[in-house]
Amino acid sequence: MRRFMLISCLLCVPIGLRAQPPVVDMHLHYKWTQQDVTSPADAIAVLDEENVVLGVVIGTPAELALALQSRAPDRIVPIFSPYREGGDWHRWAYDETTVTRARTALASGQYHGIGELHVIGGFAPTLEKAVVLQQLLALAAGFDVPIMIHTEFSRADFMLKLCQQFPQTRIIWAHSGALLPPAAVDRVLAHCGNVWGGLGARDPWRFVDNPLTTADGILLPEWKALLLKYPSRFMVGSDPVWPVDQLDRWDEADSGWQQLGRFWTFHRGWLAQLPQAVARQIACRNAVALFGRSQQVKCD
Ligand SMILES: [Zn+2]
């Protein structure tokens, strides 16, 4: 009886107290609209809760990523966002100060990448006329840092041409496959060894027309095959924006950080359906390697 009780007690450990495998969140935003409801200390506490060992943070304005980093210097990787206020997601590509500001930010040594840059059909210039974007790609290669790009087109051609034109630049393709079938993502990854697929916001609440899993959370076969084909080329992020119905909320606080558990519970669910070594690469190792943190961050 005593023995039975001991066993049942072990089995009774609440799920929340079991250590979750460590993950890197490669798509975090910290915006002025989030600071209202999530202080830097609150944000770091959320990372603790979810066992996020490294977080790549896009500040709006950029300095907010530094405010987070000051609380957890080794855990936060700030990347430079040129966005300062609402609407900059479509203005940056035409703003001549974007490149100068990015150069100054990277030269300061405080930022370790550029992004997230939105390139959305109907708003963005064509690739030939995308001078600011092209200069940023060259700048990222010059500083040897990754650049995160969010594309929204019905074909993969824009990304394909871009990555071929800048083979020296390491490109994180944000939400890759959110609007394109796995075969299109495969085409880009096959042609461009300098592209990594970011799976931020590929959850049941965003980009709902192109899911990664069934409604029950089962990884779709064609996505599973793609992840297994390129185990060193994908990374996961939460992209904390909440509520999710607006891309660029400015009149209401964004409570995305309070939803981090929701996003990571989903991602951990499909990651667990992959062989453990592959899941560890996608959830942690690939981003650690891409941002050069292998010495500081352990994924085991
Ligand atoms: Zn995005």
Side-chain angles (χ1 to χ4, degrees):
M1 186 63 184
R2 260 186 109 176
R3 190 170 180 190
F4 172 74
M5 280 181 69
L6 181 66
I7 291 167
S8 63
C9 224
L10 285 172
L11 295 174
C12 262
V13 173
I15 268 176
L17 295 181
R18 285 183 199 145
Q20 302 260 38
V23 293
V24 176
D25 196 321
M26 51 62 66
H27 196 135
L28 286 162
H29 289 278
Y30 193 47
K31 307 181 183 190
W32 62 272
T33 46
Q34 294 175 320
Q35 199 185 18
D36 288 348
V37 289
T38 308
S39 70
D42 294 339
I44 301 302
V46 172
L47 298 183
D48 283 339
E49 232 165 83
E50 298 303 323
N51 204 13
V52 175
V53 290
L54 195 70
V56 177
V57 180
I58 304 144
T60 307
E63 303 79 50
L64 280 184
L66 302 181
L68 266 200
Q69 197 206 16
S70 70
R71 289 266 168 178
D74 295 333
R75 255 165 100 190
I76 301 294
V77 180
I79 64 174
F80 177 75
S81 165
Y83 303 178
R84 293 163 292 193
E85 54 187 18
D88 275 350
W89 65 269
H90 59 86
R91 282 193 289 262
W92 71 271
Y94 305 92
D95 179 352
E96 286 170 11
T97 72
T98 302
V99 181
T100 322
R101 290 187 291 120
R103 185 179 295 114
T104 304
L106 294 178
S108 76
Q110 293 176 295
Y111 297 91
H112 307 280
I114 301 173
E116 174 189 15
L117 302 171
H118 292 82
V119 182
I120 295 180
F123 293 95
T126 60
L127 185 54
E128 295 68 34
K129 291 186 177 166
V131 179
V132 171
L133 176 61
Q134 294 194 30
Q135 289 177 342
L136 289 178
L137 279 144
L139 191 68
F143 278 90
D144 194 21
V145 294
I147 183 167
M148 190 192 293
I149 301 175
H150 165 144
T151 59
E152 282 192 31
F153 297 102
S154 54
R155 295 167 61 93
D157 299 32
F158 188 98
M159 180 53 77
L160 195 53
K161 282 186 199 154
L162 198 67
C163 60
Q164 288 177 322
Q165 200 178 325
F166 292 90
Q168 303 304 323
T169 306
R170 291 178 291 153
I171 300 170
I172 300 170
W173 193 10
H175 329 292
S176 45
L179 296 157
L180 296 167
V185 178
D186 191 349
R187 192 167 145 235
V188 172
L189 294 181
H191 282 89
C192 294
N194 57 326
V195 174
W196 281 259
L199 299 171
R202 297 293 314 279
D203 54 46
W205 305 281
R206 278 81 62 86
F207 302 114
V208 292
D209 294 335
N210 284 311
L212 208 52
T213 70
T214 65
D216 298 334
I218 306 299
L219 204 47
L220 293 172
E222 56 271 35
W223 271 102
K224 189 171 187 178
L226 194 65
L227 297 170
L228 292 173
K229 185 173 177 184
Y230 299 101
S232 61
R233 305 282 293 283
F234 285 99
M235 300 178 294
V236 188
S238 58
D239 194 358
V241 173
W242 200 267
V244 297
D245 55 344
Q246 285 187 28
L247 167 70
D248 193 24
R249 175 177 298 274
W250 58 270
D251 56 345
E252 206 181 305
D254 178 330
S255 58
W257 281 80
Q258 278 92 321
Q259 303 296 329
L260 221 75
R262 168 198 295 265
F263 302 136
W264 273 107
T265 299
F266 169 73
H267 290 304
R268 287 183 190 279
W270 62 259
L271 282 163
Q273 298 163 40
L274 295 168
Q276 200 183 28
V278 174
R280 200 168 284 167
Q281 277 181 287
I282 293 174
C284 194
R285 289 207 169 124
N286 294 342
V288 165
L290 189 65
F291 284 93
R293 303 296 166 119
S294 303
Q295 294 302 315
Q296 299 90 335
V297 178
K298 296 286 163 246
C299 291
D300 301 311

